[in-house]
Amino acid sequence: MALRVGLCTSLNQENLGKLKAGGIRTVTDFITRDPDAISKDLHIPYKDVCSIRRVLISENSAYPVSAVTLYKDALPMLTMLSTGCNRLDELLDGGLFTAEVTEIAGFTAAGKTRICLWCAATTVMTEKYTVVYIDTCSSFSIECVLDVLSQSADFNQAELSQELLEEKLQRIKLVQAFNVFDLFSVLESIREDLTKPTPMEYGNVKLVIIDNLASPINPIIGGQIAHSQGIISQLGLSLKQLAHKSSLAVLVTNNLTTSMNGDKSKPALGKSWSHVPHTRLIIQKCKHVSSHSSLREVCLVKSGRQQTPATTTISLDRRQQDPG
């Protein structure tokens, strides 16, 4: 910012001319020079130099904030939600982070939906948060959720009463969206409700899950509609804005597609989607084990915190969460 007459009463035309003659033309030039040197070298009254300096600092510097204040403001914004699997949490550096989009990609029957259900059940069981579960292909399983709740370390069978179960289940809001336009409508309703001073329907939401994101989008891509990539980009932007502005963790599942020769697989939806997730996991069946085995290999291929690639093995059977 250039110095000019009128920034303060002491910065008159005479003093401005002396400053410019001394090579001081911007606010930065003035602030970084020693006040004694300016007064002595340019023959400007010391009280005028101090007056100009005080005004420039007060009007152009950042408002001072203590570290304690920053910590208290950041604490509710940065939350880690457990996935319900210790090995997955370790792979993700603690769990699902709010203000981020996490993607789990895999082939059919790899276990993507099972992990989503774990995350939903664990969140409502261990925290007083609400989960929005957007189901795009009727894959939601109440039996799996009940299994997670019944095996929670926080409650034993005697304490897990019908009333407690109902209270936990009420905090999982199941929404079905079978096409991309319904999906946009659901996301917009969440955003609008959370911007209200007192949210009515989605209050205390901390996790939004979209199970099988590709399902409502594939019909558009399959029809070769010209604006399909624009819709994918807009959907990605909506998810990232929702996660960031509302301090939510967004978890989506995606399909894997193979190349023409079948030697390489990658997440679906193309390049327009590839930059959206902050974190990406690839889940697949373990090699050299029975096709009926519950063991799955999970690989972290994209992360802003952990070294990639990193791999772990989990079991879809919660009774065998730490396979040998």
Side-chain angles (χ1 to χ4, degrees):
M1 179 179 177
L3 294 174
R4 65 179 187 275
V5 176
L7 285 178
C8 65
T9 56
S10 298
L11 190 58
N12 51 38
Q13 190 64 50
E14 180 183 358
N15 288 339
L16 181 61
K18 292 178 180 180
L19 290 171
K20 288 184 177 181
I24 301 176
R25 298 178 177 276
T26 66
V27 172
T28 303
D29 294 338
F30 189 93
I31 296 299
T32 55
R33 293 281 291 273
D34 182 64
D36 292 329
I38 294 176
S39 177
K40 181 179 178 181
D41 297 341
L42 303 181
H43 306 289
I44 300 175
Y46 184 73
K47 65 180 182 63
D48 288 350
V49 175
C50 292
S51 176
I52 296 172
R53 183 181 178 84
R54 185 168 56 253
V55 172
L56 293 181
I57 290 177
S58 64
E59 292 187 356
N60 295 279
S61 64
Y63 182 77
V65 179
S66 69
V68 173
T69 302
L70 286 176
Y71 175 75
K72 289 181 178 180
D73 290 343
L75 193 60
M77 302 287 289
L78 302 175
T79 305
M80 288 183 295
L81 305 176
S82 174
T83 62
C85 176
N86 293 334
R87 290 196 171 186
L88 267 184
D89 288 344
E90 182 179 351
L91 188 66
L92 293 170
D93 195 27
L96 304 176
F97 282 71
T98 54
E100 293 188 5
V101 177
T102 302
E103 178 189 62
I104 302 175
F107 292 110
T108 301
K112 305 184 295 293
T113 297
R114 180 67 61 90
I115 295 176
C116 288
L117 295 170
W118 287 355
C119 294
T122 304
T123 298
V124 299
M125 176 58 81
T126 58
E127 302 287 351
K128 292 185 177 181
Y129 296 137
T130 300
V131 175
V132 178
Y133 196 107
I134 304 176
D135 186 7
T136 66
C137 53
S138 299
S139 58
F140 184 84
S141 171
I142 189 62
E143 290 81 8
C144 181
V145 174
L146 290 174
D147 182 56
V148 176
L149 295 180
S150 63
Q151 295 182 44
S152 172
D154 297 332
F155 297 89
N156 57 38
Q157 292 294 332
E159 294 174 330
L160 197 60
S161 63
Q162 185 68 24
E163 292 75 13
L164 180 60
L165 272 176
E166 292 179 358
E167 189 270 328
K168 300 299 181 182
L169 292 175
Q170 284 175 355
R171 289 198 268 115
I172 300 179
K173 297 185 177 297
L174 178 62
V175 183
Q176 292 184 317
F178 298 123
N179 63 69
V180 71
F181 304 108
D182 288 342
L183 182 56
F184 273 118
S185 178
V186 172
L187 295 176
E188 180 62 19
S189 65
I190 297 173
R191 186 197 65 80
E192 288 184 352
D193 192 59
L194 292 178
T195 56
K196 298 177 181 177
T198 305
M200 300 296 293
E201 186 175 1
Y202 298 104
N204 213 26
V205 169
K206 218 53 173 174
L207 175 62
V208 174
I209 298 173
I210 304 178
D211 189 17
N212 200 343
L213 182 66
S215 180
I217 299 177
N218 280 336
I220 296 178
I221 299 177
Q224 298 182 348
I225 300 176
H227 63 276
S228 61
Q229 296 302 310
I231 290 179
I232 294 174
S233 298
Q234 182 60 41
L235 179 59
L237 180 62
S238 298
L239 291 175
K240 295 183 84 169
Q241 287 180 339
L242 181 64
H244 178 72
K245 294 183 178 180
S246 302
S247 298
L248 303 176
V250 175
L251 175 63
V252 302
T253 66
N254 196 2
N255 296 329
L256 284 181
T257 59
T258 56
S259 57
M260 295 297 292
N261 54 16
D263 62 349
K264 187 177 181 181
S265 58
K266 59 183 179 179
L269 304 182
K271 294 182 178 180
S272 298
W273 171 258
S274 61
H275 71 282
V276 175
H278 298 85
T279 303
R280 174 177 285 127
L281 298 170
I282 302 294
I283 182 172
Q284 54 189 346
K285 296 181 178 180
C286 292
K287 300 177 181 178
H288 311 301
V289 298
S290 169
S291 59
H292 301 291
S293 173
S294 64
L295 294 181
R296 296 292 185 270
E297 181 181 85
V298 183
C299 182
L300 180 69
V301 297
K302 181 180 180 182
S303 174
R305 289 175 299 275
Q306 298 281 75
Q307 183 177 356
T308 59
T311 305
T312 190
T313 301
I314 67 171
S315 173
L316 297 182
D317 185 350
R318 286 186 56 81
R319 297 170 182 80
Q320 304 173 7
Q321 282 291 296
D322 294 306

